[in-house]
Every structure is written in structure tokens, then in C-alpha cells.
Amino acid sequence: MSINSTTPTIILSLDRIYRLVNKFPAFTRPTIHVTGTNGKGSVTALVASILHETGLRVGRFNSPHLLHVRDSISIGLKPVSESRYFETRSIVDRANDEGDKGEEAPRASLFEALTVTAMRIFEEEAVDIAVIEVGMGGRLDSTNVLPEKGVVKVSAMTAVDVDHVQWLGSTPPEIAREKA
């Protein structure tokens, strides 16, 4: 899947991203994982800034990007370089287009491939801690491929409100259950 590919619909499943992420060495960076409806980006920016000021090398993944897709992935409060982003993204895209042992290619969505790209960059750059913002949210969000054991040190939820009702539910309690 090239960087300009699009997925026509949102398919809530972790199958594709698990097939893609499993083509790479395990993600081992200690992580803070932030979900919610409003304020996720502000919380991840604040947490990353605080941790950076303590001297830690911090990786941050947020969405959506502001100016360029690569600015959703930062290390040390600065977006990764174009060369670093495109080098890793091209490796992820190749893995996304190739099947293994007779299996079909993962064909992960753009956001799923971006999530794996961020994870690979953080792992390869050996950040001290990653601060990762959930995408749309929910138990089937791409960021939920983070290993359950030993990696996620803190999970946080910001305010929850009615959004993405076609995928997450129609009331705040339903949405909060899905996002938790």
C-alpha cells in the first residue's frame, strides 16, 4: 500500500494491523496511552513536555497531524525528519503489501500503517518513553496493538462525549465503555 492509498471505509478490526505489526521485532518502549474524546492531544503534549523537561527522550504519536503526516510523530518535542519518516514508512509499506507463507498481505489502512511507523521509529530510536494518543478510540483502535504486558505503564482517559456514534455507541456511557 503506497503512502497515497486510501481506505474507502473504516473497518473496525485489529486483524490487519496485528498482521502488519507482527512482521517487525516486538515494540518494547515504556508507554503512556491516552484515550478520550476531547483533550487527548493537549494531554499528550503536556505529558510529553513534562517528561522531556526531566531529561527523558520522549516519543509522541498524535493524530491527526497538523501540517504534514510526519508531524504526528515526534521525538524530543520535534517532528521526526522527513528522511527518517519516509525511510521507516517505506519499510512499513513494503511489509504491508507482502504476504507471508502463503497468507495475504495485511493491507492495513493509512492510520494503521502510520501507527506501526510511529512504533518502529520509537523502537529504533530507543526513546525512553512513548506517549501515544488513541485515534478515533475504542477497543479496536489501531494503537491497541501495543503489547499488554510490560509496555503500557499508564493508561489515561480524557473527557468523553458523543462522537463517532456509528462506531462507538450513541450515549456517553456506551462510548466510555468502548474507549476504556
Side-chain angles (χ1 to χ4, degrees):
M1 174 180 279
S2 74
I3 196 162
N4 295 318
S5 297
T6 60
T7 300
T9 59
I10 294 174
I11 300 168
L12 292 180
S13 168
L14 295 177
D15 293 342
R16 292 182 316 253
I17 191 166
Y18 269 120
R19 286 199 321 266
L20 180 57
V21 82
N22 286 333
K23 290 178 170 235
F24 297 97
F27 182 75
T28 63
R29 309 320 313 157
T31 300
I32 297 172
H33 198 203
V34 180
T35 189
T37 302
N38 299 311
K40 298 180 305 225
S42 297
V43 167
T44 60
L46 182 62
V47 168
S49 179
I50 291 167
L51 293 170
H52 175 77
E53 288 302 315
T54 70
L56 293 174
R57 189 156 191 249
V58 181
R60 177 177 170 230
F61 177 55
N62 63 281
S63 66
H65 61 276
L66 298 175
L67 301 174
H68 185 277
V69 68
R70 73 181 174 82
D71 71 30
S72 63
I73 304 169
S74 64
I75 296 177
L77 306 182
K78 295 181 179 150
V80 296
S81 69
E82 283 189 40
S83 61
R84 181 68 172 109
Y85 173 79
F86 286 115
E87 175 188 326
T88 303
R89 182 57 186 255
S90 67
I91 293 167
V92 170
D93 283 345
R94 275 195 307 276
N96 196 25
D97 287 337
E98 297 170 357
D100 284 332
K101 301 173 192 154
E103 293 181 14
E104 67 180 61
R107 306 259 186 258
S109 71
L110 289 174
F111 183 71
E112 291 166 336
L114 180 62
T115 301
V116 175
T117 300
M119 292 170 66
R120 295 311 325 140
I121 289 172
F122 296 156
E123 188 68 32
E124 292 165 8
E125 294 289 329
V127 298
D128 296 317
I129 191 158
V131 181
I132 297 183
E133 176 185 340
V134 171
M136 180 177 65
R139 62 192 162 74
L140 298 176
D141 185 83
S142 300
T143 62
N144 283 325
V145 298
L146 292 167
E148 294 177 18
K149 304 271 185 201
V151 170
V152 177
K153 303 302 183 186
V154 176
S155 293
M157 181 182 284
T158 64
V160 173
D161 203 350
V162 176
D163 72 335
H164 305 296
V165 295
Q166 62 271 48
W167 298 287
L168 302 178
S170 58
T171 67
E174 289 174 343
I175 293 167
R177 239 185 329 276
E178 187 67 22
K179 288 189 180 222

